Amino acid sequence: MTQSLGGLYSALRLPWAYSALQRVIARKDARRVFVDRYVQPRAGDRVIDIGCGPGAMLDYLGEVDYVGLDLDPNYIRSASRRYGNRGRFIHGDAANIVDHIDAQADIVLAVALLHHLDDAQARSLFSAAAKFLVPGGRLVTLDCVWTVPQNPIARFLIAADRGKNTRTSAAYSALAHESFSTVEVHLRDDLLRLPYDHCIMVCRKLESAAAVR
């Protein structure tokens, strides 16, 4: 991963600090909007959440079969304490998920992850996700994005992010298309209380016999 970890960034490795920051800057219904509009889980779906952080996405997914993976052991310990009765949490590197996951999924999530990965690591993630997904399954990603034009405050905040591989929507999409034939790209500037731009991708694994959900 390519990211800044020193100084003030180190505080965000504390689960409570990360969660507190999200509560302050994110729109109150941001995760609900993301899940209901783009993830659209169904009861019983198997969900693999790559880069799950403290596991807060579970509050919005409903009754799913959940596996969370994160590189930070502090996040995994926090998630296991809070959500251990609802899912399984694994300490591991998102760039090598094939070493940690041994089952197929209906949905793979990669939320605020791609901008932490260089192109080779992102390609590995997309390729692995495509292999994990059942026919008709989908990978849903969300990341900060460079846009033109872009609010100067949004550009400043994105440049200050821990992840140092923010891309344009076209660059994110190009990487996804190497493993997925169908990639829907959605740009949003309303998920935070501050000016900020996000790119959401819904990448579908399609086969001739698979119905698009």
Side-chain angles (χ1 to χ4, degrees):
M1 285 191 178
T2 306
Q3 58 181 339
S4 297
L5 296 175
L8 292 175
Y9 294 111
S10 61
L12 295 179
R13 299 186 64 187
L14 300 172
W16 68 265
Y18 176 84
S19 298
L21 178 64
Q22 292 299 309
R23 287 193 296 270
V24 169
I25 67 172
R27 208 175 84 180
K28 187 175 181 180
D29 62 344
R31 285 195 178 99
R32 174 54 59 203
V33 169
F34 173 69
V35 170
D36 289 352
R37 188 163 300 180
Y38 305 106
V39 181
Q40 299 179 353
R42 299 183 300 190
D45 275 350
R46 181 173 178 82
V47 177
I48 298 175
D49 189 357
I50 306 170
C52 65
M57 194 63 70
L58 250 176
D59 286 331
Y60 303 87
L61 294 174
E63 298 301 319
V64 298
D65 182 0
Y66 178 94
V67 177
L69 173 73
D70 202 278
L71 180 62
D72 194 313
N74 292 325
Y75 287 161
I76 291 299
R77 283 192 291 269
S78 176
S80 296
R81 285 195 297 268
R82 183 172 181 182
Y83 299 106
N85 63 331
R86 296 184 53 198
R88 182 163 62 99
F89 295 91
I90 301 170
H91 174 226
D93 189 345
N96 299 299
I97 58 175
V98 293
D99 296 334
H100 309 288
I101 306 294
D102 59 2
Q104 286 194 298
D106 300 285
I107 300 170
V108 174
L109 297 177
V111 177
L113 177 61
L114 291 174
H115 70 284
H116 291 274
L117 306 180
D118 62 28
D119 284 358
Q121 292 168 330
R123 287 189 177 98
S124 177
L125 184 146
F126 281 121
S127 176
K131 293 175 182 176
F132 287 136
L133 287 167
V134 300
R138 58 202 179 278
L139 164 68
V140 187
T141 72
L142 181 149
D143 284 275
C144 48
V145 62
W146 299 126
T147 65
V148 178
Q150 188 158 36
N151 184 296
I153 296 175
R155 182 163 286 272
F156 172 80
L157 292 173
I158 291 171
D161 192 278
R162 285 184 296 170
K164 298 307 176 185
N165 287 294
T166 300
R167 302 169 174 88
T168 64
S169 59
Y172 284 127
S173 179
L175 288 168
H177 270 293
E178 293 182 19
S179 297
F180 291 88
S181 58
T182 301
V183 179
E184 302 170 11
V185 177
H186 306 269
L187 296 178
R188 299 195 65 123
D189 61 2
D190 61 347
L191 296 180
L192 298 190
R193 303 178 194 273
L194 303 169
Y196 207 83
D197 297 292
H198 287 98
C199 175
I200 297 170
M201 293 193 297
V202 181
C203 312
R204 296 183 184 275
K205 179 176 180 178
L206 301 181
E207 294 185 5
S208 58
V212 177
R213 284 164 42 182

